[in-house]
Amino acid sequence: MNATLRVALVGNPNCGKTALFNQLTGSRQKVANYAGATVERKEGRVLAPSGRVLQLLDLPGAYSFDATSPDEAITRDVCHGRYPGEAAPDLIVCVADATNLRLHLRFVLEVQRLGRPMVLALNMMDAAARRGIHIDIGELERRLGIPVIETVAVQRGGTSRLVEALDRQALPAPPAALPEGTDLHAAVRTLLAATVTMPTRTGRIDDALDRVALHPVWGLTILAVMMFMIFQAVFSWAAPLQDGIELGVATLGEWSTAQLPDGVLKSLLIDGVFAGAGSVLVFLPQILFLFLFILILEESGYLPRAAFLLDRMMFKAGLTGRAFIPLLSSFACAIPGIMATRSIQDPRDRLTTILVAPLMTCSARLPVYTLLIAAFIPERSVAGVFNLQGIVLFTLYFAGVASALIVATVIKRFRGDKSEHALLMELPSYRLPHVRDIAIGLKERAVIFLKRVGGIILTLVVLLWVLASFPAPPPDATLPAIDYSLAGKIGHFMQPLFAPIGFNWQICIALIPGLAAREVAVSALGTVYAMSGSDDTVATQLGPLIAQQWPLATALSLLAWYVFAPQCLSTLAVIRRETNSWKMVAIAAGYLFALAYAASFVTFQIASALS
Ligand SMILES: Nc1nc2c(ncn2[C@@H]2O[C@H](COP(=O)(O)OP(=O)(O)OP(=O)(O)O)[C@@H](O)[C@H]2O)c(=O)[nH]1
Ligand SMILES: [Mg+2]
């Protein structure tokens, strides 16, 4: 009978723990080339050849057991056996980046002090070999007194030796505990001198690239141009694919409803499913293009460099450089972004970052933005190379970032903070992203999006369809049926409140289901307009329809609204969880609503006055 062996993966940030975990367990946890990708403990199982079950634990990276950011505290508690409801792991696999042992060995020695059974996994041996770094494994084993195993977490079979080692029946004996107060740095120096031969010239490529990428002028120029090109690409490259999906949805809609008699079922399919959920599906290509770029930047190692470049600006605004990765993750979605703030040590810095994270433009806003931009902004080229639509999209993203910096500055004033925080951030090696990893990342994003379309979006749209269909209009009705329905009544009821910012009653209706997920606003508009129309054709062309019916000022006002509005209940829920305070939820929701209303009001009034 083989007992389960509980194994914890521990090590400095960015040494490849999660990559190892994924390779061993077949999971798909987030891997990225920067420190702080993992902020929670994650469990997985492996069945070793002998039949032994290995219960693997992936942990956030830690520089030391003394450090106190919330994610590092998890690692510390698990290793010390102090994690609530959990005994200490049977075995610790301490992971170290073989190309960076000078830094990583210090923590290995600290972990050894725990006096628990452990093995050392020297990861990234492929990169070490490429750079001509030679490590005397036997000598390292002898000096540390623990098994040392080479791994390449990103290659198939690159972890087989680790599995073999974990599969051995006997646990490695606990190492002789190092005496307290040993100077760890001196110990690391001695170990390195005895076991590692570095090539005479190291990191040439990284240094050469960094001379440009971190240059105060060139670096910032490259960053700005790159961001700008990404938005251009999101707009222009995705267009043909979007047209294809639109045609597909329309064709499928017509084909599947052609044989149906007029009535409730037909209306549900046409107005709810196809006009509603279908109108969001069209945005899949844009979202994938955006993520393609984000994934490439994540894996290449460029992102911490961007943080380094922007550090001074962020610092002036009262944010730490450590806030960069959480804020950047918020471009995908504020929820992982807010969770990623766990790697920020100072609680006040962390709170500031949490409060401004919803201002980053999450991908759920992309459908709303592009729908309105495509409908109202002419497809004109600017200076021969850029298109106006891409520029407007870039401006909206920029407005989010700029307002986050302003809000953070205000918060800093409020708390009278004059403290200085040095940016302590490692610059990882540049790395060519693996096509396979990018493909997996994209597929995951596509699945998440499609699940949203088929799940919450479809559900809400069907619900909206019900509210917009009943009660049925009176026999002598003159207006479209939706005007007499419950949804119509709600929309008309809310409209006076939103009249000063130019929202019509259709937009008011769409705002409600849009609270659950921002993109639902697009679906809801699709359904509302499909049901307001008299004909029975499948309306996948929401854009041209609103272009006819709304003044430009209304469209601009709605865009401004979406830059700020806290229209996402899950974000508020995660703020509550991470801050453990309803007051913070109220502050976040309150200030975002106030900003949204004010921005829309100004936009609408100015745009109306000008037109
Ligand atoms: N070349 C090479 N790259 C690797 C190897 N293992 C991991 N990587 C890359 O190293 C980076 C960091 O990997 P992660 O698994 O996210 O590192 P982590 O230790 O979990 O990082 P945190 O969660 O931030 O503590 C990613 O870009 C991986 O693709 C390896 O053996 N060889
Ligand atoms: Mg990780």
Side-chain angles (χ1 to χ4, degrees):
M1 185 63 203
N2 289 303
T4 303
L5 186 72
R6 294 170 54 251
V7 180
L9 296 171
V10 178
N12 279 25
N14 210 36
C15 63
K17 298 175 293 298
T18 305
L20 270 177
F21 178 84
N22 286 349
Q23 179 79 255
L24 291 166
T25 61
S27 347
R28 297 273 163 86
Q29 295 299 327
K30 171 130 191 99
V31 168
N33 193 5
Y34 52 70
T38 309
V39 292
E40 280 189 311
R41 59 189 280 299
K42 283 274 153 43
E43 270 177 18
R45 274 162 178 270
V46 193
L47 189 64
S50 74
R52 179 184 241 178
V53 177
L54 306 174
Q55 191 174 346
L56 237 55
L57 197 56
D58 183 24
L59 291 167
Y63 291 105
S64 149
F65 284 135
D66 298 331
T68 50
S69 62
D71 60 340
E72 283 172 310
I74 296 177
T75 304
R76 182 194 61 208
D77 292 351
V78 168
C79 290
H80 282 88
R82 290 203 298 253
Y83 193 82
E86 195 172 293
D90 301 321
L91 177 70
I92 291 178
V93 173
C94 198
V95 186
D97 174 352
T99 66
N100 202 356
L101 286 180
R102 191 172 296 279
L103 196 76
H104 288 218
L105 274 183
R106 208 201 68 87
F107 189 50
V108 175
L109 295 182
E110 211 183 314
V111 175
Q112 240 187 325
R113 277 191 174 166
L114 294 172
R116 296 187 190 283
M118 88 183 241
V119 301
L120 172 62
L122 280 187
N123 192 36
M124 312 222 188
M125 283 308 288
D126 55 332
R130 246 194 330 268
R131 289 196 217 167
I133 300 172
H134 179 80
I135 302 168
D136 185 340
I137 306 284
E139 183 62 18
L140 193 58
E141 270 189 338
R142 204 180 59 73
R143 288 187 176 242
L144 289 172
I146 53 172
V148 177
I149 300 139
E150 301 171 62
T151 58
V152 182
V154 289
Q155 263 167 31
R156 208 180 288 263
T159 55
S160 48
R161 273 199 257 171
L162 182 61
V163 179
E164 275 165 36
L166 299 182
D167 201 15
R168 282 191 208 120
Q169 288 305 309
L171 285 179
L178 303 170
E180 281 301 318
T182 310
D183 181 354
L184 289 184
H185 288 284
V188 168
R189 270 197 302 275
T190 317
L191 269 178
L192 285 176
T195 59
V196 181
T197 328
M198 294 296 267
T200 39
R201 301 210 297 175
T202 49
R204 262 176 309 159
I205 301 179
D206 279 10
D207 288 350
L209 286 174
D210 276 346
R211 265 198 291 280
V212 187
L214 297 182
H215 188 275
V217 177
W218 291 123
L220 280 174
T221 313
I222 291 172
L223 178 63
V225 170
M226 210 159 57
M227 291 298 150
F228 197 73
M229 297 315 282
I230 289 176
F231 291 107
Q232 291 284 317
V234 164
F235 237 97
S236 11
W237 297 3
L241 293 170
Q242 282 188 291
D243 292 346
I245 295 186
E246 202 161 277
L247 188 72
V249 171
T251 314
L252 189 67
E254 267 150 33
W255 175 79
S256 61
T257 53
Q259 311 306 325
L260 289 178
D262 281 353
V264 175
L265 181 63
K266 186 167 181 171
S267 164
L268 173 64
L269 279 178
I270 290 184
D271 303 329
V273 177
F274 288 103
S279 57
V280 168
L281 195 62
V282 172
F283 295 98
L284 177 63
Q286 279 183 325
I287 287 173
L288 290 187
F289 270 114
L290 186 67
F291 277 102
L292 174 68
F293 293 110
I294 292 183
L295 286 169
I296 291 175
L297 290 181
E298 252 180 21
E299 267 304 287
S300 64
Y302 180 76
L303 290 185
R305 269 114 183 144
F308 183 82
L309 285 171
L310 298 177
D311 181 48
R312 187 129 44 99
M313 196 153 66
M314 293 182 42
F315 173 69
K316 276 203 181 132
L319 290 165
T320 77
R322 281 284 187 106
F324 183 82
I325 297 294
L327 291 182
L328 199 102
S329 314
S330 304
F331 277 103
C333 172
I335 294 166
I338 287 171
M339 281 166 58
T341 62
R342 290 181 192 177
S343 62
I344 301 176
Q345 210 153 337
D346 183 322
R348 291 173 311 170
D349 288 345
R350 180 164 178 246
L351 194 60
T352 308
T353 313
I354 289 177
L355 286 178
V356 300
L359 288 169
M360 301 294 121
T361 305
C362 67
S363 60
R365 272 176 255 201
L366 198 57
V368 183
Y369 284 174
T370 47
L371 172 75
L372 295 175
I373 289 175
F376 287 93
I377 308 295
E379 208 186 331
R380 201 175 329 125
S381 91
V382 177
V385 269
F386 305 120
N387 72 59
L388 186 61
Q389 297 183 329
I391 293 177
V392 173
L393 186 63
F394 178 76
T395 311
L396 288 166
Y397 273 76
F398 185 79
V401 175
S403 49
L405 291 179
I406 295 171
V407 171
T409 313
V410 173
I411 296 178
K412 187 180 171 162
R413 285 274 152 76
F414 250 102
R415 65 185 205 199
D417 180 12
K418 296 195 182 59
S419 60
E420 306 258 324
H421 308 279
L423 172 63
L424 281 176
M425 188 179 247
E426 244 181 283
L427 295 182
S429 304
Y430 285 106
R431 198 163 285 150
L432 268 184
H434 295 272
V435 177
R436 186 170 157 268
D437 289 344
I438 303 276
I440 289 175
L442 280 183
K443 191 183 135 211
E444 248 160 46
R445 275 293 142 187
V447 170
I448 290 174
F449 180 74
L450 293 177
K451 275 196 183 148
R452 276 170 83 92
V453 173
I456 183 157
I457 295 180
L458 186 64
T459 313
L460 286 171
V461 161
V462 168
L463 206 70
L464 180 69
W465 174 87
V466 173
L467 290 179
S469 307
F470 304 101
D476 56 345
T478 47
L479 296 168
I482 188 170
D483 279 84
Y484 302 91
S485 70
L486 196 56
K489 294 215 174 74
I490 295 174
H492 285 295
F493 175 76
M494 287 169 66
Q495 208 262 335
L497 182 64
F498 290 93
I501 61 174
F503 290 5
N504 55 32
W505 65 269
Q506 290 95 334
I507 299 178
C508 291
I509 296 181
L511 289 181
I512 301 175
L515 277 175
R518 285 187 175 88
E519 323 87 309
V520 179
V522 169
S523 300
L525 283 174
T527 295
V528 169
Y529 276 102
M531 297 185 75
S532 312
S534 47
D535 60 353
D536 237 8
T537 54
V538 179
T540 47
Q541 298 277 345
L542 181 58
L545 207 76
I546 56 175
Q548 265 172 22
Q549 304 205 3
W550 298 2
L552 175 63
T554 291
L556 296 179
S557 166
L558 188 57
L559 283 176
W561 175 265
Y562 263 90
V563 172
F564 301 104
Q567 281 205 318
C568 175
L569 295 178
S570 335
T571 299
L572 296 178
V574 92
I575 292 181
R576 154 80 194 142
R577 201 184 67 194
E578 296 293 313
T579 62
N580 206 10
S581 142
W582 284 111
K583 192 175 139 207
M584 284 305 146
V585 176
I587 289 176
Y591 101 82
L592 289 168
F593 259 123
L595 272 186
Y597 201 92
S600 292
F601 182 78
V602 172
T603 308
F604 182 68
Q605 297 301 334
I606 292 179
S608 307
L610 291 182
S611 58

